[in-house]
């Protein structure tokens, strides 16, 4: 049986150390595709650890696609080879999260209409922003850095902020990124615009279907061609990507929006293989909410396993800090960053120096890390509160919940025959906003007609019970689906 | 003789009131093109005011193109008819100012090289930023507006800021603009990007030659066609604009960069007439430094005389507040703003709420007005200091200065035969940065080979004397132009 010594474990938890040992053996080929892993109980006894430790390690490997689970048989090492010819079998989506970016489709100058609870928005709740510490750091910056505040930064942003982001990525995402590779900008939308200019308007871009619609709009708005690429249960389908003629593909592999699929390592490798086939091919990795995974370790980024300079990594502080503080960043491969400064160095950085320096201190002082931990706990308990309210409600028998382990939303499928439009209308009358999963599909939602994204980040805990009571009234009297209830 | 009663003058100064009376009569046709205005002295006696009052009123009318001055003959009402067929006679440029936006063509992550005095940059001097009041307002905003700070604003920015900008434009630029027409964004470059998407990538854009090069780069970078349109002494040439096939033209009529030409009213009318000829035609008016006119009233904006919804007005707080606080705005005609929200409402505003709310208070509390006045005085004395240093230097006999009445730079023509490249090299060796006027021309600089933009906004007064001593050393020993010295 597999044997690992825990003597070199250091500060890591048992499960995490074990996960890394097995992962390393799979990557190095010591464990081959198809190899069966020991059963949890026997492996636990063998290594003299608890079953929970084994369970957690397996769950992490499973989530990242290093192993497969065959019901009633056990766990098997997955095929993570770089073979790109492997056929992808379309399957049901695996697991889901959310990125609304909470923008308002406002008519000129008007405020949003009154709404009791907005399950469609992932806008940050005002109470969660670290106002005191932010104000304190701002004061310090204004007191200490007057000259620096007035100096025009390079296009990519002030160097100390890029250094702090580089350090953060190294520590929390295991990414080895030079500060010079980072470009800071006022929102990912703005960065997409820069990127399209850099990569070329004449290129064909591919986006996930379902996916984050705004990316499609921005690419189309920039007059570049954009294709929708369908997913299977492992993420974007490489065969469809090949057929589409797309040269650049935008994905969120660590936590797909809105389905929550975590792209397994095999698909990631296929995707890198796809990119390697042509110089003009690139992958844009949107890692928008990797910080909010409730179970296990964060999923490693695609960028961190890319040795060919094919991945452009994007992330934002809009989710982790506040959507109204407009700071996002992207990491470009070295050859692209050089081209950026050569061809587009005339663009001024769009983020105010005041906020760049404040965020730098926020990162340097460990405040960001503490804030993320607080937020993760908060969202975790928000999720539990919402799940609890649903479980105790009359709806409980009509709904099934999936993808509740990460991000700021889960998926709720409701057993009903009523059309989504009618449900949305009834929700509106109750002061609720709902986002049906189907609205994120371009080419028709394969199933899950009555599945809704349930964002919980913006809903005040005191309103949760009442919000769910109203939700029950939305579905009250609506017919069940033919074929009966759950 | 012309007679005006001063009984309805209210709070306006005598010259300003007089200017407005004459201007009104010219616009309404009471005074016809070619009419001779009374001589200053006789007019002053007739109205029982001082000659200075008449002089100031005439100077303002002259600057705005309502009257012409014929040496030794007097002042005549100019032809401001909307006739677009009138031939434009190419002439020497009239008057010059500056817009560098102080961006750094930085190589990845490196800081700018050491420089003793940078006459090429209009970067804000750190000492001039109102740190105390800005910090105080930021504190107040954080204390009072937590919920508002976390609420995603409409794409155009928070309503209170747009209201404050609308009020400012009404009071100081005589513009009647609804807050709904205003879009706030992180820098004019970003706003150009939005605008090109709104107006169409397929359109042909025209920019001034010479002009603000970055606009050309941005338009080209967006894959839209861009043509350079030459100027004459009154600004952009309408005949060349017609020939170019451009549908959208970018100009800075109140203070052209870098020549400083103020577009006279006749040319403005021609330009509006040009735009009126086709639905797809628009004028982008860049009003980037209208606040820094040292003599007379500010020049009215083109937007304020546009009754057909053809002018898109742009301005920025980068010049007036700090280039590192990224807040600019544009004013769209009603039909365009409606299209913007319909087609592009998915774009989130790129300016942080913290800075939007702080700037709102800064405008509302009258701080901006006071700051502008302080800055205008400061730049005025900076200009006088620089002019004084030059006058007292050995260079005095070799230079001629033009366009010193507005903006943050003037033009300095040096009598020399040396090529500009050699001069720049020598300047660099002295720790100086110079920007030759010729570098802003695309199609060859018609004359003025040795003319330099002299930005004085970023140079510390204590360094000015030494900077000029170094400048003298740059030209020391360089040959004079053939044909002798001045």
């Amino acid at each position: 049986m597999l044997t690992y010594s825990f003597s070199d474990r250091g500060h890591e938890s048992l499960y995490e150390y074990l996960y890394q040992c097995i992962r390393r053996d799979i990557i190095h080929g010591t464990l081959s595709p198809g190899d069966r892993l020991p059963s949890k109980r026997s492996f636990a006894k063998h290594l003299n650890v608890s079953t929970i430790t084994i369970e957690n390690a397996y769950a992490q490997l499973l989530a990242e696609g290093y192993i497969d689970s065959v019901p009633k048989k056990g766990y098997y090492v997955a095929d993570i080879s770089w073979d790109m010819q492997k056929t992808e079998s379309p399957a049901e989506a695996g697991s889901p999260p959310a990125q609304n970016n909470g923008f308002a489709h406002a008519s000129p100058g008007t405020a949003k209409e009154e709404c009791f609870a907005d399950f469609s928005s992932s806008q940050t709740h005002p109470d969660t922003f670290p106002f005191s510490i932010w104000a304190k750091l701002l004061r310090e910056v204004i007191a200490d850095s007057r000259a620096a505040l007035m100096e025009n930064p390079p296009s990519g942003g002030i160097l100390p902020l890029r250094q702090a982001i580089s350090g953060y990525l190294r520590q929390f995402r295991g990414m080895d990124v030079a500060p010079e590779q980072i470009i800071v900008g006022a929102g990912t939308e703005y960065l997409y615009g820069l990127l399209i200019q850099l990569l070329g308007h004449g290129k064909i871009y591919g986006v996930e279907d379902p996916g984050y619609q705004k990316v499609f709009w921005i690419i189309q708005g920039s007059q570049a061609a954009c294709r929708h690429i369908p997913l299977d249960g492992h993420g974007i389908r490489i065969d469809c990507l090949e057929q589409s003629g797309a040269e650049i593909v935008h994905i969120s592999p660590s936590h797909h929006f809105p389905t929550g699929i975590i792209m397994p390592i095999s698909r990631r490798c296929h995707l890198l293989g796809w990119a390697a086939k042509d110089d003009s091919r690139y992958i844009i990795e949107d890692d928008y909410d990797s910080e909010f995974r409730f179970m296990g370790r964060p999923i490693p980024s695609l960028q961190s396993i890319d040795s060919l300079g094919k991945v452009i990594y994007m992330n934002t502080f809009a989710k982790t800090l506040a959507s109204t503080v407009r700071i996002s960043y992207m990491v470009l491969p070295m050859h692209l960053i050089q081209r950026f400064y050569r061809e587009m160095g005339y663009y001024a950085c769009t983020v105010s120096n005041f906020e760049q320096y404040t965020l730098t201190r926020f990162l340097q002082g460990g405040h960001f890390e503490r804030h993320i931990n607080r937020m993760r706990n908060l969202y975790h308990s928000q999720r539990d509160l919402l799940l609890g309210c649903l479980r105790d409600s009359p709806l409980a028998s009509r709904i099934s919940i999936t993808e509740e382990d990460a991000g700021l939303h889960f998926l709720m499928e409701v057993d009903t025959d009523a059309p989504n439009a009618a449900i949305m209308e009834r929700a509106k009358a109750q002061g609720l906003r709902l986002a049906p999963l189907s609205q994120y599909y371009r080419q028709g939602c394969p199933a899950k007609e009555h599945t809704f994204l349930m964002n919980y980040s913006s809903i005040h805990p005191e309103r949760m019970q009442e919000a769910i009571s109203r939700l029950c009234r939305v579905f009250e009297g609506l017919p069940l689906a033919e074929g009966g209830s759950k």
Side-chain angles (χ1 to χ4, degrees), chain A:
Chain A
M1 194 179 296
L2 271 178
T3 307
Y4 299 108
S5 155
F6 287 81
S7 58
D8 290 326
R9 177 165 64 96
H11 294 292
E12 282 173 321
S13 67
L14 285 168
Y15 99 82
E16 192 167 333
Y17 183 75
L18 182 61
Y19 147 81
Q20 281 177 351
C21 293
I22 302 174
R23 178 171 169 274
R24 193 191 51 222
D25 281 356
I26 293 173
I27 290 172
H28 292 174
T30 315
L31 287 167
S32 308
D35 281 359
R36 189 176 175 278
L37 293 180
S39 79
K40 292 182 217 167
R41 192 177 303 174
S42 60
F43 202 14
K45 203 177 253 169
H46 178 68
L47 296 178
N48 197 22
V49 297
S50 78
T51 327
I52 301 289
T53 300
I54 309 292
E55 240 174 46
N56 287 339
Y58 281 10
Q60 187 71 32
L61 291 163
L62 198 60
E64 291 177 23
Y66 287 101
I67 62 173
D68 293 323
S69 158
V70 180
K72 292 185 188 155
K73 290 221 164 168
Y75 296 90
Y76 294 83
V77 175
D79 184 0
I80 61 159
S81 70
W82 283 65
D83 168 21
M84 296 150 311
Q85 309 312 325
K86 199 173 143 189
T87 321
E88 304 299 331
S89 56
E92 266 308 300
S95 53
Q99 177 178 36
N100 266 17
N101 222 331
F103 61 94
H105 264 292
S107 59
T110 58
K112 288 190 290 181
E113 66 199 37
E114 202 44 63
C115 165
F116 181 79
D118 188 353
F119 290 106
S120 75
S121 156
S122 63
Q123 181 165 305
T124 324
H125 196 282
D127 293 352
T128 60
F129 186 81
F131 280 106
S132 319
I133 182 73
W134 192 260
K136 176 174 165 284
L137 296 177
L138 246 175
R139 262 200 315 277
E140 289 177 12
V141 161
I142 292 178
D144 302 346
S145 316
R146 296 198 167 192
L149 281 172
M150 291 296 120
E151 187 171 345
N152 292 324
S155 306
I158 64 166
L159 188 57
L161 176 56
R162 288 182 285 143
Q163 286 166 334
I165 291 172
S166 161
Y168 170 78
L169 290 175
R170 181 166 299 111
Q171 200 174 351
F172 295 95
R173 295 300 272 131
M175 290 166 62
D176 184 23
V177 163
E180 288 73 16
Q181 291 177 261
I182 298 174
I183 295 176
V184 172
T188 42
E189 300 159 28
Y190 172 72
L191 293 175
Y192 288 134
L194 285 187
L195 204 47
I196 292 164
Q197 181 171 344
L198 183 68
L199 298 175
H201 289 82
K203 297 280 161 62
I204 301 173
Y205 293 76
V207 297
E208 295 165 314
D209 181 21
Y212 184 39
Q213 295 167 305
K214 221 197 260 193
V215 177
F216 175 77
W217 296 334
I218 291 170
I219 294 170
Q220 268 213 328
S222 303
Q223 295 299 94
C226 195
R227 309 266 184 270
H228 281 93
I229 318 289
L231 311 186
D232 60 23
H234 292 167
I236 201 156
R237 282 180 55 182
I238 313 279
D239 54 342
C240 298
L241 182 59
E242 280 285 2
Q243 283 161 23
S244 74
E247 296 162 277
I248 293 140
V249 64
H250 176 275
I251 53 168
S252 44
S254 297
H255 195 205
H256 175 257
F257 177 81
T259 68
I261 294 171
I262 298 169
M263 186 181 284
I265 186 71
S266 55
R267 183 66 56 89
R268 290 173 189 236
C269 293
H270 289 162
L271 205 53
L272 288 171
W274 167 85
K277 280 166 93 178
D278 194 295
D279 275 355
S280 68
R281 288 184 176 178
Y282 288 99
I283 300 164
I284 304 171
E285 175 179 28
D286 187 352
D287 202 32
Y288 69 101
D289 76 348
S290 57
E291 293 83 359
F292 295 129
R293 201 171 145 71
F294 303 135
M295 303 281 286
R297 294 175 66 255
I299 310 298
S301 71
L302 189 57
Q303 196 275 349
S304 62
I305 59 166
D306 165 36
S307 54
L308 298 171
K310 284 299 189 177
V311 175
I312 294 146
Y313 175 92
M314 288 232 174
N315 208 334
T316 176
F317 292 96
K319 303 266 148 223
T320 45
L321 206 49
S323 53
T324 59
V325 173
R326 305 297 303 163
I327 313 184
S328 300
Y329 59 94
M330 57 183 175
V331 179
L332 300 188
M334 256 326 171
H335 63 284
L336 282 184
I337 200 83
Q338 281 156 355
R339 205 206 302 171
F340 173 80
Y341 279 98
R342 205 167 52 237
E343 297 174 6
M344 295 169 62
Y346 56 85
Y347 276 99
C349 182
T350 42
V351 181
S352 156
N353 269 9
F354 286 77
E355 302 211 319
Q356 289 196 61
Y357 278 101
T358 305
L359 179 58
T360 304
R361 288 187 186 224
F362 196 74
L363 286 161
Q364 283 170 344
H367 304 292
F368 184 66
E369 190 184 343
R370 284 191 287 278
H371 177 67
I372 289 292
N373 289 336
R374 256 197 315 274
M375 296 294 281
R376 198 185 290 117
N377 290 337
L378 178 88
Y379 290 140
H380 202 161
S381 67
Q382 280 277 91
R383 178 198 68 163
D384 290 348
L385 176 62
L386 174 52
L387 287 174
C389 288
L390 283 169
R391 211 179 297 115
D392 298 341
S393 78
L395 266 182
S397 60
R398 297 179 68 170
I399 58 175
S400 68
I401 305 287
T402 45
E403 301 312 329
E404 69 270 35
D405 284 343
L408 310 181
H409 78 238
F410 53 73
L411 296 183
M412 177 180 78
E413 190 179 359
V414 186
D415 181 10
T416 178
D417 232 7
N420 274 348
I423 295 172
M424 306 283 283
E425 265 311 300
R426 290 171 64 113
K428 203 176 159 193
Q430 292 288 340
L432 302 182
R433 276 216 198 89
L434 291 179
L437 179 60
S438 57
Q439 81 181 28
Y440 297 95
Y441 281 85
R442 273 291 278 224
Q443 294 163 353
C445 188
K448 305 202 174 190
E449 157 74 353
H450 300 103
T451 301
F452 298 89
L453 273 73
M454 296 295 280
N455 273 287
Y456 38 82
S457 64
S458 76
I459 297 169
H460 198 283
E462 289 179 5
R463 288 194 168 191
M464 197 68 90
Q465 185 60 60
E466 168 64 16
I468 297 309
S469 300
R470 291 179 183 218
L471 190 66
C472 291
R473 286 199 286 275
V474 169
F475 291 99
E476 217 168 58
L478 287 182
L480 294 180
E482 276 179 50
S485 72
K486 292 178 195 280

